[in-house]
Amino acid sequence: MTAHPATATRVRTGGPQDDGPKIVEHVMGWVLVAVLAMLVTQLGLL
């Protein structure tokens, strides 16, 4: 059996980019929190 070399390049799977703008992810996360909070209050779950 042969082992794969440790220096093999990694295949991108379409996940978040390592060099992308972090502020966009941060803002979108807070937008999601706000939308969920509005949904919970509108449905009377809180």
Side-chain angles (χ1 to χ4, degrees):
M1 292 177 60
T2 61
H4 292 285
T7 58
T9 58
R10 293 177 54 196
V11 176
R12 294 295 300 181
T13 59
Q17 299 294 326
D18 294 333
D19 58 353
K22 303 289 184 202
I23 187 70
V24 175
E25 294 178 25
H26 192 75
V27 168
M28 290 307 291
W30 279 109
V31 168
L32 178 63
V33 168
V35 169
L36 283 174
M38 287 188 289
L39 179 67
V40 165
T41 55
Q42 286 294 319
L43 293 177
L45 299 175
L46 186 64

